[in-house]
Amino acid sequence: MIDDLATVTAFLGDAQLASGSRQSVTRTLEDRYPADLGAVLVFDDRSGRLTDLDYWDAAQRTPAPAAGRPRLGVKAREVTLLPRHWDWLAAQPGGASAALRRLVEAASKGEPDTKQRRDAAYHFMSHVCGDRLGYEEALRALYRDDDAGFAASIAEWPADIRAHIVRLLQGG
């Protein structure tokens, strides 16, 4: 499931085109760059992974299939837990589904930890920087927590690329 509140960043080559919510980036790309630009890469800001945007007819989405609570976008799926987990969930206000939704919401709103931020930078770098001078040294420094070595390894990279890596590492 795609989180419509998640932020993404779009790049064309070394230049950042847009950053923000999925909807705002989609709108920006449609409004400012209506012609085929070529290989626009869009990255999820939380994971650093490539993601897809619906560039055409973004405003006219097809309704979700009628399952669960369609107006809320709820889909029924199977979850396997130990009996003690089911007992705990059943004792929560609103029942198991409400408790699971609250837990997932709380966890997804939390700030990513250091490992998640580092992994997000790695995923972004692996797509955009793999052929750049100092890439392997930068990765080694990144996972050694060698801030000075990392900064030196990426110092010659384009400004938009460096700024996005720093933003991913800071979790914002």
Side-chain angles (χ1 to χ4, degrees):
M1 183 175 135
I2 295 176
D3 180 5
D4 285 335
L5 299 177
T7 60
V8 296
T9 303
F11 279 86
L12 178 60
D14 295 341
Q16 179 179 313
L17 300 178
S19 186
S21 71
R22 297 180 71 81
Q23 291 175 331
S24 70
V25 170
T26 300
R27 235 178 280 118
T28 299
L29 293 176
E30 288 176 335
D31 294 345
R32 291 190 187 161
Y33 310 101
D36 182 19
L37 289 176
V40 173
L41 300 177
V42 180
F43 296 90
D44 180 288
D45 289 340
R46 187 168 202 126
S47 70
R49 295 181 187 272
L50 278 173
T51 188
D52 290 326
L53 292 182
D54 182 8
Y55 295 113
W56 50 276
D57 282 344
Q60 299 179 359
R61 297 187 188 266
T62 57
R69 296 181 182 171
R71 287 195 306 189
L72 297 176
V74 174
K75 294 181 182 177
R77 294 202 177 160
E78 183 178 332
V79 175
T80 55
L81 298 172
L82 294 172
R84 69 175 182 269
H85 299 146
W86 285 113
D87 293 341
W88 182 86
L89 284 169
Q92 301 306 304
S97 292
L100 286 171
R101 282 193 297 273
R102 285 192 302 272
L103 289 169
V104 169
E105 283 297 318
S108 66
K109 288 180 182 176
E111 288 295 315
D113 65 15
T114 303
K115 181 186 180 321
Q116 289 171 316
R117 292 191 309 260
R118 187 182 304 138
D119 289 347
Y122 162 76
H123 291 299
F124 173 73
M125 290 169 57
S126 69
H127 285 288
V128 177
C129 308
D131 60 349
R132 296 190 188 279
L133 185 63
Y135 170 74
E136 291 179 8
E137 293 80 8
L139 287 183
R140 283 192 285 274
L142 176 68
Y143 282 98
R144 273 194 319 258
D145 289 326
D146 177 4
D147 295 338
F150 182 74
S153 297
I154 69 170
E156 298 300 317
W157 294 359
D160 283 353
I161 301 289
R162 286 192 327 265
H164 189 63
I165 293 169
V166 168
R167 196 175 88 191
L168 291 172
L169 288 171
Q170 292 173 345

